[in-house]
Amino acid sequence: MVLLSLIATHSDVDLETVARLSAGAPKVPSSLLENGPAVSGAVVLATCNRLEVYCEARSEADLEAARSAAIAEISRHSGLDEDLVSRSFTTNTGPDVAKHLFAVGAGLDSAVVGEREIAGQVRRALIDAQEQGTASGTLTRLFQTASRTAKDVGALTTLGQRGLSIVSVALELATDLSEDIDWRNKAVVVFGTGAYAGATMALLKERGCTDISVYSSSGRAESFTASRSGTALDANTLGAAVARADVVIGCSGTENQVSAEDIRRVRAASDRPLIIIDLALTHDFEPEVREIEGVDLITLESVRLAAPTEQAESLQQANRIVSDAAAAFSEAQLSRELDSAIVALRRHTLSVLDKELEKVRAQHGCTGAGEEVEFAMRRMVKALLHVPAVRARELAASGQQDDYIRGLEAIYGITVDKSAQKPLSTLAPSTSAVPEADEQDADRSQSA
């Protein structure tokens, strides 16, 4: 089994293209397994500035077919031309897959370096894939290890200790733009009721804001505010709330975009300045709202440009943790790949032994002497298998597992079933570590 990932992020692709690619992203894993025979597992990580598709191909020879299948499914669900989709993604294979995901989960590849929201999105991506039945064992271990690595970075470095996130940076920008910087005096309207909206509510309360209203096009505002306080809005009360608001924050990502004309209409009688913070992947507000007099618009791009640079020493330490974790994961994976080869060798050898013992029994019967011979021969087989098993681990660590498998096939005629992934602890200590096992809003589309 071979890992493959397709990466489209704010670093290489404009956010508008990322948003278009992400349309229908939750459906990609299931349809990919149904229509891509070269793929045995798939997980999608979609956030406000990235779309990443992680696949497990059945073999090295299937990598290109797996990539083509993923491109085709993303194209089908997003409605974008396959050529554009293909050009938008960077492809990672082998150890690069783990290293990139671990860096993402630790916040090292975020618009706000060190932010912690992305770690939750990585966990959620795996949970979604497991619920859909698309997460293979290897992908499950990959994402679980990414989550543990993110915790290690948070615990062992000062990276992210300031609690910076896309929301916190956006609120700081809004404070800088305000005539009155005291959030206790502000009226805020939040669009969305997902995890990202919940994080927004928490940060607003930390700043002393108590006048918070929430709107959800799916009708979830009532239940959302019941556990978080705030005022639930519906279609009848939304206009009045926006008319009196000082700040409006969009993090729902629904298709019902608020137009510049809508804002002009509801704000016609107000002479108060308005700050709109649009953090949704597909934009809750038309970009033209920034042209309205008295309205300031803060976007994800604004946040990216305003995000502070973390200390170089913390970044270096975090990168070392990520690199070490990725190397350990890759080594363990190579070792696991050889488990099936060791099983095959053991099965072959014991099969030969059993045939010889049957000959002994046929000639001499089940005598005490015969039993002693059997015990002695089995001890001999175990001794003979010890060195090949240890050598298998050594070759796996140096990336030469394919040489070992080819050697078994050439010398013994053993065909290795790579789907057999159970470690054979009776032959040699295994070095593979098995990790522990609303509307279109921030649950899936909002974080770095």
Side-chain angles (χ1 to χ4, degrees), residues 1 3 93-100 102 138 141-142 145 322-338 393 395-401 431-433:
M1 301 295 182
L3 291 178
T93 58
D96 291 339
V97 175
K99 188 171 184 179
H100 175 79
F102 295 178
T138 302
R141 289 189 291 273
L142 175 72
T145 308
V322 165
S323 295
D324 290 346
F329 177 84
S330 296
E331 182 178 339
Q333 282 303 114
L334 292 175
S335 179
R336 290 179 67 86
E337 288 179 12
L338 278 179
R393 307 296 182 191
L395 289 172
S398 62
Q400 296 175 277
Q401 71 279 5
T431 58
S432 60

Side-chain angles (χ1 to χ4, degrees), residues 36 95 117 196 207 298 309 325 329 390 395 409 412 447:
E117 291 163 356
Y196 209 48
R207 286 162 172 75
I298 296 172
T309 302
F329 177 84
V390 172
L395 289 172
E409 294 173 347
Y412 295 103
S447 86

Side-chain angles (χ1 to χ4, degrees), residues 174-421:
T175 302
D176 293 341
L177 290 171
S178 300
E179 295 178 359
D180 182 357
I181 64 173
D182 192 343
W183 284 87
R184 292 174 297 181
N185 302 326
K186 295 185 186 300
V188 179
V189 174
V190 176
F191 283 69
T193 54
Y196 209 48
T200 300
M201 292 278 285
L203 288 174
L204 286 171
K205 290 176 183 177
E206 283 183 11
R207 286 162 172 75
C209 184
T210 57
D211 189 350
I212 307 172
S213 302
V214 179
Y215 173 74
S216 168
S217 60
S218 63
R220 293 179 56 192
E222 196 74 46
S223 59
F224 180 83
T225 54
S227 59
R228 296 173 176 82
S229 72
T231 302
L233 301 173
D234 56 27
N236 296 322
T237 58
L238 176 61
V242 173
R244 60 178 289 273
D246 299 294
V247 180
V248 176
I249 303 174
C251 45
S252 71
T254 66
E255 296 179 357
N256 302 317
Q257 198 173 68
V258 178
S259 68
E261 185 54 39
D262 290 334
I263 297 297
R264 284 194 183 93
R265 177 172 50 79
V266 299
R267 301 283 297 188
S270 176
D271 58 356
R272 301 170 64 183
L274 174 66
I275 297 173
I276 296 177
I277 302 174
D278 192 351
L279 303 180
L281 176 62
T282 53
H283 301 306
D284 282 340
F285 301 88
E286 286 184 349
E288 289 76 15
V289 297
R290 60 163 47 92
E291 299 172 6
I292 302 173
E293 185 177 355
V295 174
D296 286 303
L297 176 64
I298 296 172
T299 65
L300 287 168
E301 183 64 16
S302 309
V303 171
R304 187 183 69 81
L305 294 174
T309 302
E310 292 291 335
Q311 293 181 354
E313 184 178 347
S314 295
L315 279 174
Q316 290 175 358
Q317 187 179 4
N319 277 310
R320 282 196 298 271
I321 293 172
V322 165
S323 295
D324 290 346
F329 177 84
S330 296
E331 182 178 339
Q333 282 303 114
L334 292 175
S335 179
R336 290 179 67 86
E337 288 179 12
L338 278 179
D339 286 340
S340 55
I342 299 171
V343 169
L345 176 59
R346 182 177 186 271
R347 185 181 296 116
H348 169 80
T349 307
L350 292 178
S351 174
V352 173
L353 171 63
D354 287 337
K355 289 178 182 178
E356 293 302 317
L357 289 173
E358 281 300 319
K359 294 178 183 178
V360 172
R361 295 189 190 101
Q363 292 180 355
H364 304 287
C366 297
T367 65
E371 291 178 358
E372 288 298 324
V373 170
E374 178 177 348
F375 292 150
M377 292 181 72
R378 290 192 183 278
R379 285 196 298 271
M380 178 190 71
V381 168
K382 288 184 179 181
L384 289 174
L385 286 174
H386 177 73
V387 172
V390 172
R391 185 60 178 149
R393 307 296 182 191
E394 294 173 349
L395 289 172
S398 62
Q400 296 175 277
Q401 71 279 5
D402 289 340
D403 293 341
Y404 186 92
I405 293 172
R406 284 194 295 268
L408 290 184
E409 294 173 347
I411 297 172
Y412 295 103
I414 298 173
T415 300
V416 177
D417 179 9
K418 293 186 178 181
S419 64
Q421 293 286 323

Side-chain angles (χ1 to χ4, degrees), residues 27-39 41-43 53-55 65-71 73 76-77:
K27 300 176 183 177
V28 169
S30 295
S31 61
L32 183 55
L33 264 64
E34 292 172 3
N35 303 318
V39 178
V43 179
V53 182
Y54 291 80
C55 304
R67 184 185 189 279
S68 297
I71 293 298
E73 292 306 318
R76 184 162 71 89
H77 289 290

Side-chain angles (χ1 to χ4, degrees), residues 46-114:
T47 75
C48 66
N49 54 20
R50 73 178 66 249
L51 174 64
E52 303 188 356
V53 182
Y54 291 80
C55 304
E56 183 171 5
R58 300 188 186 281
S59 68
E60 290 277 357
D62 290 321
L63 278 176
E64 187 54 43
R67 184 185 189 279
S68 297
I71 293 298
E73 292 306 318
I74 295 169
S75 172
R76 184 162 71 89
H77 289 290
S78 67
L80 298 177
D81 180 75
E82 276 196 34
D83 183 60
L84 171 61
V85 173
S86 182
R87 287 186 283 108
S88 299
F89 283 96
T90 298
T91 303
N92 289 333
T93 58
D96 291 339
V97 175
K99 188 171 184 179
H100 175 79
L101 179 61
F102 295 178
V104 168
L108 302 184
D109 194 55
S110 298
V112 179
V113 175

